[in-house]
Amino acid sequence: TMIYNQPNVKVSVVAGDLFDQTGHVMIGMPDTFDTAIPKIIDRKSVQGQFLDRVFNGDVAEFDRRLDDALRGVQPVASVAKEGKIDRFPLGTVAVLHEPTRCYFCVAYTEMNERNEARGTPAGLWKSLDSLWQAVCEHANGGQLALPVIGGGQARMSQVLPQQDSIRFIVLSFLLASRAEKICDELLIVV
């Protein structure tokens, strides 16, 4: 746990289960907001676990909630592939409100024609900026939990290994927190 005075925030890196945390949670997604498991989205991915643990595997309900949250956001392109074809801007955040928390579904990778998600450090930085703005607008302080971003299906681990990903997230959070309070604590779950 690191406590910073300038800005006055707490950042913790913990080993554990993202979905056992009590605060708000960030879920990384592709720019198409695909949800089909296991054909397009890996069941073991954070997004796959989110579908199983929060929506009890109900893809139709997850899609309905995403569609509601994305209402008013215009796709910027389409991709010829199986599954969802509309591409939203990188950094689009679909906020799913629950009684005690929000789930921030953030498009931080681009999905290609083969349903392979690919991320870049620039896209991730832009997406984190969008996440911080959404947290300011929809969460009332508290704790925000997010996974280490960039490994797995994002295919960024060779460019942004786990320790660098954590530093990247913390730096983005600290810089954004200097402009405006994001939340009381950022919890990075490994």
Side-chain angles (χ1 to χ4, degrees):
T1 300
M2 300 166 278
I3 298 174
Y4 294 90
N5 293 326
Q6 192 63 17
N8 186 16
V9 293
K10 182 178 178 183
V11 176
S12 300
V13 179
V14 299
D17 187 324
L18 181 67
F19 300 103
D20 286 344
Q21 308 313 310
T22 59
H24 308 293
V25 179
M26 179 269 198
I27 309 296
M29 298 191 70
D31 62 348
T32 53
F33 287 91
D34 272 290
T35 54
I37 291 177
K39 202 162 197 166
I40 299 174
I41 303 299
D42 185 351
R43 185 170 298 283
K44 292 180 275 186
S45 70
V46 170
Q47 185 185 336
Q49 293 175 54
F50 178 61
L51 174 65
D52 284 342
R53 304 231 347 236
V54 176
F55 288 94
N56 296 314
D58 188 343
V59 174
E61 177 62 14
F62 186 22
D63 280 338
R64 185 190 68 73
R65 296 280 305 277
L66 283 173
D67 289 345
D68 286 348
L70 293 170
R71 191 165 287 131
V73 181
Q74 292 298 313
V76 291
S78 62
V79 56
K81 66 176 200 62
E82 187 177 350
K84 296 181 182 182
I85 62 168
D86 287 334
R87 277 199 158 124
F88 290 86
L90 275 182
T92 297
V93 182
V95 183
L96 308 183
H97 293 272
E98 295 291 322
T100 60
R101 68 169 72 180
C102 293
Y103 292 103
F104 296 92
C105 299
V106 182
Y108 80 99
T109 59
E110 291 183 351
M111 190 69 92
N112 69 20
E113 308 79 31
R114 295 180 305 280
N115 278 316
E116 296 170 337
R118 298 214 183 270
T120 65
L124 177 56
W125 190 267
K126 179 179 181 175
S127 299
L128 288 169
D129 278 346
S130 296
L131 171 63
W132 310 140
Q133 290 172 12
V135 171
C136 285
E137 291 173 23
H138 297 275
N140 189 18
Q143 181 188 80
L144 173 66
L146 68 157
V148 176
I149 303 170
Q153 302 304 310
R155 295 171 174 83
M156 290 175 49
S157 57
Q158 73 280 7
V159 176
L160 203 61
Q162 189 174 45
Q163 279 193 314
D164 291 340
S165 177
I166 292 168
R167 289 183 189 107
F168 195 87
I169 294 164
V170 171
L171 179 61
S172 174
F173 177 72
L174 290 175
L175 292 175
S177 293
R178 287 181 181 160
E180 148 177 50
K181 180 180 177 183
I182 309 297
C183 59
D184 299 318
E185 179 181 14
L186 179 68
L187 185 65
I188 303 170
V189 183
V190 179

